[in-house]
Amino acid sequence: MTDVLKISRGGPTNLNPDRDWTGFNPAETFTLPPATNFFEFREVCKAFDERLVLDHVSFTVKRGETCVIMGRSGVGKSVSLKHLMGFLKADSGRIIVDGEDVTDFSEAEFVEKVRSKVTMVFQSGALFDSLTVRENISFPLDGQPGLTFEDVDEYVIKIAHMLEVEAVLDKLPSELSTGMKRAVAIGRAFAQNPEAILYDEPTTMVDPIMAGHMGDLIHRLKQAFHKTSIVVTHDTHLAKRLADTVVFLQEGRVTYFGPWAGFENSNDSFLKNFRMQDELIPALDVTL
């Protein structure tokens, strides 16, 4: 039985030091080691009409770590994710994904070189309305060479159990709550076996109990798979659980970039006010 979660996505070449070096061509044999930073923003600017949304934004996300982008509504959090996926183009600055400058990539290059290894969970879930939950989760696996029907079904059951959606596998998205739709969207994203995953406001538009539940699911996946991740949120409770690093955006600029402890202990008046307002809502770590 093929382990769907361990399908090879490439990587450094294993070298044999005892090989016969006759006819050796290093260009055909070696690959560069993976970049330490999976994502990089370098002085990125983006304006809509005359409104500057991203103002010389710079930050990095190390391979295997989770970065949380925070800030009030409309400061460019989701816009940053869309640049990484190629849905928006920067006006200036450079964007690096997995060691490669993707700033000037065409749509075809983003499809081939970025979206094949980076996936995004949208606020809406973006599920296929006419497919069941089971079919939505399995969609990225359909037709992949080397996978049998049993392999795919085993994966669907495994991830559905982890995300606690086994009971709705045969339902349509229209029959699900907003929180359930997001859980299914996360399952479909992981079926692609990406190297990195982007979460756009995973706890917005749900009640506090479901927000706590979504946070629990994402944290569980982080501990299990260690995928490079970026989570866009205004929820400090979620950020505290997930963040290896925090990017805080204010009026289009990065006003804090560093570990959670530094954010939590910052004496900056704006950051203190932001934390205090969110602390009015209690943290809820629950399993429904």
Side-chain angles (χ1 to χ4, degrees):
M1 186 72 71
T2 304
D3 188 342
V4 175
L5 295 177
K6 293 182 180 178
I7 297 173
S8 173
R9 299 293 183 188
T13 303
N14 261 332
L15 303 178
N16 180 358
D18 298 322
R19 62 168 285 181
D20 180 1
W21 297 99
T22 304
F24 168 64
N25 183 345
E28 295 176 354
T29 307
F30 289 103
T31 58
L32 293 173
T36 300
N37 296 323
F38 196 93
F39 294 118
E40 294 184 51
F41 263 46
R42 299 178 182 172
E43 296 290 323
V44 173
C45 294
K46 180 65 178 181
F48 295 100
D49 296 324
E50 296 182 358
R51 180 175 173 239
L52 190 59
V53 177
L54 298 179
D55 186 1
H56 294 90
V57 169
S58 296
F59 64 87
T60 60
V61 183
K62 290 183 178 179
R63 187 176 299 275
E65 291 193 349
T66 297
C67 174
V68 175
I69 302 179
M70 303 187 73
R72 298 194 187 282
S73 298
V75 296
K77 302 188 301 294
S78 297
V79 169
S80 300
L81 299 188
K82 291 175 181 177
H83 278 79
L84 292 171
M85 296 296 291
F87 301 142
L88 292 173
K89 291 284 189 182
D91 296 332
S92 63
R94 312 308 296 175
I95 297 168
I96 314 299
V97 177
D98 196 18
E100 188 167 12
D101 189 332
V102 305
T103 312
D104 301 317
F105 269 17
S106 65
E107 172 67 11
E109 287 175 311
F110 266 105
V111 170
E112 178 186 355
K113 297 182 179 181
V114 177
R115 296 174 203 160
S116 60
K117 58 186 173 184
V118 181
T119 190
M120 183 170 173
V121 179
F122 296 89
Q123 291 184 30
S124 65
L127 300 176
F128 299 112
D129 293 338
S130 60
L131 300 184
T132 65
V133 167
R134 184 188 304 273
E135 292 167 335
N136 265 283
I137 295 175
S138 67
F139 184 82
L141 300 174
D142 292 342
Q144 283 203 21
L147 292 181
T148 65
F149 173 82
E150 289 76 16
D151 293 331
V152 173
D153 194 54
E154 181 188 31
Y155 169 79
V156 170
I157 293 171
K158 180 177 181 178
I159 202 70
H161 175 73
M162 184 172 289
L163 294 171
E164 301 176 22
V165 294
E166 309 104 304
V168 299
L169 280 174
D170 295 318
K171 291 183 179 293
L172 293 171
S174 60
E175 301 175 83
L176 306 181
S177 67
T178 299
M180 279 285 192
K181 288 178 183 177
R182 291 211 184 122
V184 174
I186 291 171
R188 187 180 65 186
F190 269 81
Q192 186 180 322
N193 194 19
E195 295 181 39
I197 186 164
L198 312 177
Y199 299 91
D200 188 14
E201 296 278 11
T203 61
T204 195
M205 295 189 298
V206 296
D207 61 73
I209 293 177
M210 180 54 76
H213 180 57
M214 291 302 301
D216 182 65
L217 294 181
I218 296 171
H219 184 261
R220 195 181 307 166
L221 292 169
K222 174 184 175 177
Q223 296 299 107
F225 301 115
H226 304 287
K227 300 283 187 183
T228 304
S229 303
I230 298 180
V231 181
V232 160
T233 187
H234 60 272
D235 183 344
T236 58
H237 305 303
L238 178 66
K240 185 174 183 177
R241 297 189 69 194
L242 299 179
D244 294 304
T245 55
V246 174
V247 174
F248 193 88
L249 293 176
Q250 183 180 348
E251 296 180 356
R253 286 184 170 271
V254 175
T255 56
Y256 178 81
F257 172 49
W260 173 262
F263 173 79
E264 190 172 39
N265 296 317
S266 172
N267 290 320
D268 179 275
S269 59
F270 190 91
L271 297 184
K272 287 177 69 174
N273 184 56
F274 184 89
R275 295 195 309 267
M276 288 174 61
Q277 289 188 31
D278 208 48
E279 285 168 3
L280 295 175
I281 303 173
L284 293 170
D285 300 331
V286 297
T287 300
L288 299 181

